[in-house]
Amino acid sequence: MDPEVHLPQVPLRQRTTTLEEFNTLPTHVFPGSARVRTSGELELGGVPVTELVETYGTPVFVMDEADFRSRCRRLAAAFEGGQYVHYASKAFLSVTVARWVAEEGLALDVASQGELEIALAAGFPAERITVHGNNKSVAFLTVAVQAGVELIVIDSVEEIGRLSEVATAAGVTQDVLVRVKPGVHVDTHEFIATSHEDQKFGFSLASGSAERACLAVADAAGMRLRGLHCHVGSQVFEADGFGLAADRLLGLWARLLDELGEESADASALDTLDLGGGYGIAYTPDQEELDVETVASDLLRRVRQAAAERGIDSPNLNVEPGRAIAGPSTVTLYTVGTVKDVHTSDDTVRRYLSVDGGMSDNIRPALYQAEYDCRLANRHATGTLVPTRVVGSHCESGDILINDALMPDDIVAGDILAVPATGAYCYMMSSRYNMLTRPPVVVVGDGASRVMIRRETVADVLALENMPENMPENMPG
Ligand code: LLP
């Protein structure tokens, strides 16, 4: 039995230490079009932030279309074809983004009925969609099968029976992958490591349950086993984890070919190894994103070599990057509302800058202790660097965006702060806690801006309430 492997995380380095550094944009953390004008003002997609703030208000997510699209292209080139790159829509999905992904020739990974329905509403071709989820309902499976999605990734024993019934009723043979946990424990935050034994996704390779699930799928009516899937985790910098997982999955692949009989129709349908997403990006200046070209060429080589060593045909290699495409494309702009100096227990002073969003538009610091960078966006700073915490406007002391930074002491109420790398898992994990309604998402490029998703309003929230003016269609009783 392969032992569970723990891989180390790359350590953090230094934070900003001089005013000059603070006034210099860490370009690898900001989207490609970000520039600082000589006036000191930040522009995104050729649009100055003060104009964006005047037009859309704050907080606002500003997404650089060219940055997003260029990452789609890089990944498609690196993995030798857009059809192998399934953008993980959980990172960020809207009708507009689904269309960009389709136009760039990529495939799509959806993980819920809602994500699937948004993709279909955008006209995303169903035959380029892979469907995930550890607890897919009959309704979700039915929508997926009837839409004609390419692949459904089986995650439980119950789902084999459920999908078999749905597909048989629809008169369809549905192509599927089986999700496997290969026991490679990458060192990222515990909540986003997904391939060790003690977590909810997939079938265990070590216990033999993955193999049993594959054979059950091959036997079941209404479905055809096309291959294996795993996702070792997210925000991973130790690329070796992907290769190790691939090796282990190919071991299972070879055993399956044996058991199915190499010449059988079941064996010849096997053609896809999906290694999930997880490529780490830079959130802070000291980090470097994982180089996807290197990862891709290493992985492709390793898979081809491992297949050759086992005397089997090399499968197609699918991947599912989400964060590496969407994350760096977006900057959140906030307005500073209050500045407060607080004496800490060790008797130093910490400055608290409160902004007009917080844990409702970015839960990642509170949930994963995620670290972010932050710059003054409307002008150059001139003050002295002081220990600073950037906090939101929610009724919680854990409502922290940036826990511990050195920031200039001339930042005052009315200044605009820019937090980069907020394109993945921020809007998608947003809430309206304390009834702070969701910010808009604005697209920038070529000196122009437009709304992708408008700001949520209190009227939107009231429209969900059981009040006479919302009757009668939507509410029973
Ligand atoms: N494929 C599968 C099956 C996944 O579960 C995920 C992420 C991905 C692909 C995309 O991973 P990415 O390339 O984006 O790392 N909310 C967390 C991340 C949760 C990721 C869950 N699955 C965060 O904010 O860090």
Side-chain angles (χ1 to χ4, degrees):
M1 184 177 108
D2 289 327
E4 190 156 297
V5 182
H6 293 249
L7 298 167
Q9 178 82 300
V10 176
L12 286 179
R13 290 191 298 274
Q14 272 287 303
R15 61 183 184 180
T16 302
T17 51
T18 65
L19 181 64
E20 195 191 341
E21 241 180 85
F22 183 80
N23 280 327
T24 308
L25 210 62
T27 47
H28 66 292
V29 184
F30 276 76
S33 69
R35 311 254 179 285
V36 177
R37 298 188 161 188
T38 40
S39 64
E41 184 175 358
L42 175 68
E43 66 168 55
L44 298 165
V47 188
V49 292
T50 48
E51 188 183 315
L52 292 167
V53 168
E54 217 165 90
T55 313
Y56 306 104
T58 52
V60 56
F61 289 100
V62 183
M63 191 176 230
D64 179 338
E65 178 175 355
D67 188 280
F68 185 100
R69 286 183 183 269
S70 73
R71 287 168 189 279
C72 290
R73 281 179 213 151
R74 263 181 72 184
L75 278 149
F79 283 97
E80 301 180 355
Q83 70 273 30
Y84 305 120
V85 181
H86 296 233
Y87 169 62
S89 63
K90 72 204 79 182
F92 183 90
L93 180 64
S94 68
V95 163
T96 306
V97 156
R99 290 186 180 148
W100 294 349
V101 173
E103 284 161 14
E104 296 301 335
L106 269 59
L108 197 72
D109 142 12
V110 299
S112 71
Q113 187 172 341
E115 287 177 2
L116 175 59
E117 288 182 1
I118 300 280
L120 295 174
F124 199 94
E127 66 279 9
R128 277 156 56 193
I129 295 179
T130 299
V131 173
H132 281 284
N134 68 302
N135 183 19
K136 305 178 197 73
S137 66
V138 169
F140 179 17
L141 291 171
T142 305
V143 174
V145 166
Q146 287 180 350
V149 299
E150 186 195 2
L151 290 164
I152 296 182
V153 182
I154 300 284
D155 194 276
S156 67
V157 171
E158 289 83 349
E159 198 175 300
I160 301 174
R162 234 174 256 166
L163 179 59
S164 181
E165 275 178 32
V166 168
T168 312
V172 165
T173 300
Q174 177 63 53
D175 283 353
V176 303
L177 305 179
V178 166
R179 179 154 178 173
V180 179
K181 42 184 168 185
V184 177
H185 197 166
V186 285
D187 193 1
T188 182
H189 192 278
E190 190 61 23
F191 293 175
I192 54 177
T194 46
S195 141
H196 52 298
E197 287 295 323
D198 193 3
Q199 52 79 36
K200 68 177 181 172
F201 296 103
F203 295 93
S204 160
L205 182 64
S207 75
S209 81
E211 191 164 333
R212 287 192 293 279
C214 290
L215 296 174
V217 163
D219 262 354
M223 64 182 94
R224 182 169 73 143
L225 183 63
R226 286 271 307 280
L228 302 175
H229 175 282
C230 75
H231 170 77
V232 294
S234 258
Q235 188 60 357
V236 172
F237 288 102
E238 187 43 77
D240 226 27
F242 304 117
L244 193 52
D247 279 345
R248 291 185 173 189
L249 258 55
L250 283 171
L252 170 57
W253 189 286
R255 286 200 298 282
L256 285 173
L257 287 178
D258 264 356
E259 291 185 58
L260 296 170
E262 286 207 29
E263 302 305 318
S264 69
D266 283 341
S268 59
L270 286 181
D271 67 355
T272 299
L273 183 65
D274 187 330
L275 293 180
Y279 312 138
I281 64 163
Y283 283 98
T284 51
D286 52 282
Q287 295 180 321
E288 283 297 335
E289 68 184 19
L290 204 57
D291 182 67
V292 291
E293 283 80 11
T294 310
V295 172
S297 63
D298 286 354
L299 262 185
L300 285 165
R301 194 179 49 245
R302 192 151 169 184
V303 166
R304 285 166 188 161
Q305 201 175 323
E309 280 162 13
R310 293 189 158 91
I312 57 181
D313 289 342
S314 185
N316 294 323
L317 181 61
N318 284 2
V319 289
E320 300 171 334
R323 188 189 320 261
I325 292 177
S329 68
T330 300
V331 173
T332 310
L333 301 177
Y334 300 100
T335 304
V336 176
T338 67
V339 180
K340 200 182 269 185
D341 286 332
V342 172
H343 286 270
T344 63
S345 53
D346 54 7
D347 219 27
T348 53
V349 174
R350 192 199 302 281
R351 175 156 287 197
Y352 276 73
L353 300 178
S354 294
V355 297
D356 48 0
M359 65 194 301
S360 54
D361 59 73
N362 190 351
I363 191 68
R364 300 193 69 261
L367 197 54
Y368 315 115
Q369 293 75 52
E371 297 200 41
Y372 282 85
D373 188 62
C374 172
R375 301 289 153 147
L376 180 60
N378 49 314
R379 61 182 174 85
H380 279 309
T382 53
T384 305
L385 297 186
V386 293
T388 301
R389 184 168 278 174
V390 180
V391 296
S393 297
H394 293 278
C395 289
E396 285 211 30
S397 46
D399 173 28
I400 295 170
L401 287 171
I402 293 166
N403 190 39
D404 186 19
L406 287 172
M407 288 174 63
D409 61 1
D410 61 314
I411 298 177
V412 291
D415 274 331
I416 302 165
L417 296 185
V419 175
T422 56
Y425 305 112
C426 288
Y427 190 87
M428 288 296 113
M429 294 177 81
S430 66
S431 70
R432 62 170 92 92
Y433 181 39
N434 294 136
M435 289 299 167
L436 266 69
T437 52
R438 289 182 175 81
V441 183
V442 166
V443 185
V444 290
D446 298 327
S449 68
R450 64 183 196 278
V451 172
M452 177 193 287
I453 303 175
R454 71 160 168 79
R455 185 181 298 282
E456 190 177 52
T457 63
V458 171
D460 292 325
V461 181
L462 287 174
L464 300 172
E465 296 255 355
N466 187 351
M467 299 194 301
E469 53 272 41
N470 295 333
M471 297 289 279
E473 305 86 32
N474 296 329
M475 257 165 274

